[in-house]
Amino acid sequence: MRHDIEFNTEDGVILRGWFFRAQGVEGHAPTVIMAHGFTATREIFLGDFAEVFSAAGMNVIVYDHRNFGASDGTPRQHVDPWAQINGYRDAITYAQTLPEVDAGRIGVWGSSYAGGHVLVVAAIDRRVKCVVSQVPLTWGFESARRLIRGDHWAGLRAAFDGDRAARARGEPGALMPVTAPEGQPCALPTADTYDFFTRFAAEHETAWKNEVTLHSIEMFTEYEPATYVARIAPTPLMIVVAAGDHLTPFDMTARAYEEALEPKKLVVLPGGHFEAYTGKPFAISSAAQRDWFKAHL
């Protein structure tokens, strides 16, 4: 049902992932392109969503962002949102070359940080015919100000400037943990982030690494995908939010949804940010997403 794939970005970086063949479909089928959030790799529950979509008659391409997991790219562990957006567009181009794919029926799916990416991709690339954005980052600067204590902000800004100067001297960029126990410096300082990633890494084989470039954090603070949301229409948009989310907060995502034009749909899940990937929230969400793609692809 699944096989390995690889494709080139426009600037020559090889991205690697999986292709899930649409079940019960002869010839061309609609196709969903999926990638994960901030530093996450494809094996962290994305296959579960892909299997739901595949069983409903859709091809699915799941891949690792450049600089992460099985994909090439340097510097490793560096999250450049605009390079990742271009990765989605390269994945669309690749999908359109495959004999199993109906080139006119391609959807995009993203979660968390990539949930923001697909808002941008759907707004600027009309090859996208349907989009699902799950627990997305919407406004980077506001999100960062909520996550980072006010008295730490000046020190972080100074660290950004120092890291930029070091890179200009040809030194490698600084790294920091993605997540850490409470009170220790990290990129995503919430207890549920630490629990989710450390538990997954302990229980599964994974390519995920608990490190990210400091430059990635600076780029996070400058990234505002919600500013594109009003341009998505007439492409059908589903946004999935978690009522208890404090990593990509509910109120910010709901505000972005209000700025979107029809056709659109909001799905509200119980629990927090990471519960969207498993258990009852996953069952609710994956079914709603499947039906949205089926209706519009």
Side-chain angles (χ1 to χ4, degrees), residues 16-166:
R16 297 183 177 89
W18 299 318
F19 183 86
F20 294 75
R21 182 72 171 94
Q23 298 181 40
V25 177
E26 296 292 337
H28 297 165
T31 301
V32 177
I33 294 172
M34 303 178 60
H36 223 316
F38 193 83
T39 78
T41 47
R42 56 184 166 157
E43 71 278 357
I44 305 178
F45 301 117
L46 291 199
D48 296 343
F49 288 91
E51 288 174 0
V52 170
F53 303 153
S54 172
M58 290 171 274
N59 300 314
V60 187
I61 290 173
V62 181
Y63 70 96
D64 284 330
H65 294 294
R66 65 193 298 152
N67 309 335
F68 290 90
S71 291
D72 291 349
T74 56
R76 300 303 290 175
Q77 304 303 120
H78 178 56
V79 183
D80 179 336
W82 293 102
Q84 293 185 352
I85 286 166
N86 286 332
Y88 268 100
R89 303 184 78 181
D90 293 325
I92 294 169
T93 301
Y94 166 71
Q96 290 182 321
T97 70
L98 300 178
E100 303 93 339
V101 171
D102 183 336
R105 292 192 290 164
I106 291 179
V108 292
W109 182 102
S111 189
S112 196
Y113 208 52
H117 299 346
V118 295
L119 298 177
V120 180
V121 174
I124 64 179
D125 196 323
R126 289 301 160 191
R127 295 176 299 173
V128 174
K129 303 306 180 186
C130 186
V131 55
V132 171
S133 174
Q134 176 175 279
V135 292
L137 175 79
T138 48
W139 282 276
F141 183 74
E142 184 177 347
S143 296
R145 292 308 303 257
R146 293 197 193 189
L147 288 169
I148 300 166
R149 276 176 41 180
D151 59 334
H152 290 175
W153 192 255
L156 181 63
R157 291 290 337 170
F160 291 161
D161 296 342
D163 185 57
R164 187 172 289 275

